């Protein structure tokens, strides 16, 4: 695995701290591309590609990523494939057992869980980091233990952290998890 030496791409936003924490594990288990689901600027895709992963970066709006991509070195370009897709209205683009892993950072669409479980090969990692617990995010955040219950059947959850969000009477939580496909 390549070690990141300097910033991988000048001008690229910093990757998620949680992605950085989990990247070594994800890459050690890798047997296929990582899907960066709702990749936004591509900050996590660029980071993972810089470590040697092949990444499919998917979002319904790739404008921000494309401007960074245009400036990136060929080594990174070779490792990142872009795909414009709306995860709510378009069909899931991956077949069974075609992904080495996936990450969803600051984007949660629970209908995708079944597809992710279908496409990630056994031993591959799913990383999820919801929006943080601040402000009005609780309206869209999952309920306590929901993600553990739903994903725990298909994934061995090696990291599972919940942080309460919103007013005390609400059981919404911000979640960070790393699960390994059973
Ligand atoms: C808060 S950003 C997070 C981006 C990236 N994961 C990150 O960590 O920087 C949320 C992203 O989800 C994308 N998004 C929202 N709804 C989507 C949908 N239905 N299908 C595809 N992408 C969507 C937005 O375009 C945006 O880039």
């Amino acid at each position: 695995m390549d070690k990141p030496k300097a910033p991988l791409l000048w001008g690229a936003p910093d990757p998620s701290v949680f992605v950085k924490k989990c990247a070594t594990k994800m890459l050690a288990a890798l047997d296929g591309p990582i899907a960066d689901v709702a990749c936004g600027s591509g900050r996590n895709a660029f980071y993972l590609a810089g470590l040697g992963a092949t990444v499919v970066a998917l979002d319904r709006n790739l404008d921000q990523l494309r401007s960074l991509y245009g400036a990136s070195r060929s080594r990174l370009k070779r490792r990142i494939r872009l795909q414009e897709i709306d995860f709510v209205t378009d069909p899931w683009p991956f077949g069974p057992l075609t992904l080495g892993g996936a990450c969803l950072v600051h984007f949660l669409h629970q209908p995708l869980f079944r597809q992710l479980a279908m496409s990630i090969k056994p031993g591959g990692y799913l990383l999820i980091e919801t929006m943080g617990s601040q402000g009005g995010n609780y309206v869209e955040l999952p309920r306590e233990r929901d993600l553990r219950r739903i994903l725990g059947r298909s994934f061995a959850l090696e990291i599972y952290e919940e942080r309460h969000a919103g007013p005390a009477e609400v059981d919404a939580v911000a979640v960070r998890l790393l699960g390994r496909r059973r």
Side-chain angles (χ1 to χ4, degrees):
M1 184 174 73
D2 301 356
K3 280 263 180 254
K5 299 165 189 91
L8 294 162
L9 181 59
W10 296 107
D14 288 340
S16 142
V17 170
F18 188 56
V19 169
K20 285 174 86 170
K21 175 178 169 177
C22 298
T24 305
K25 266 192 171 187
M26 290 183 83
L27 268 82
L30 216 52
D31 177 21
I34 296 178
D36 184 358
V37 173
C39 60
S41 66
R43 62 187 181 129
N44 300 312
F46 281 114
Y47 179 73
L48 293 167
L51 294 176
T54 300
V55 182
V56 188
L58 309 107
D59 202 288
R60 68 181 174 191
N61 180 352
L62 289 169
D63 290 352
Q64 205 189 346
L65 191 154
R66 282 206 179 95
S67 59
L68 288 168
Y69 193 76
S72 67
R73 291 178 300 224
S74 58
R75 175 170 71 91
L76 284 181
K77 281 186 179 152
R78 273 200 309 275
R79 292 191 189 144
I80 302 179
R81 180 160 67 82
L82 309 187
Q83 186 163 353
E84 211 150 68
I85 178 171
D86 189 316
F87 286 108
V88 175
T89 55
D90 294 333
W92 178 245
F94 301 106
L97 306 179
T98 51
L99 291 176
C103 59
L104 286 77
V105 177
H106 299 172
F107 174 78
L108 193 66
H109 183 53
Q110 295 196 23
L112 297 185
F113 290 172
R114 202 166 50 84
Q115 325 279 20
L116 287 160
M118 184 245 326
S119 294
I120 297 174
K121 294 180 184 175
Y125 280 98
L126 170 64
L127 178 153
I128 293 180
E129 176 180 0
T130 67
M131 298 296 285
S133 57
Q134 69 275 17
N137 286 350
Y138 71 92
V139 176
E140 294 183 21
L141 286 170
R143 307 296 102 179
E144 282 174 35
R145 291 182 292 278
D146 265 7
L147 298 196
R148 178 186 285 285
R149 181 175 50 75
I150 299 167
L151 289 167
R153 295 180 205 129
S154 307
F155 294 88
L157 300 176
E158 297 183 4
I159 300 176
Y160 188 84
E161 301 167 356
E162 291 187 341
R163 179 190 292 242
H164 180 265
E169 66 278 13
V170 173
D171 71 350
V173 283
V175 179
R176 299 200 307 187
L177 69 85
L178 182 70
R180 190 162 202 189
R181 185 71 176 97
R182 296 184 192 280

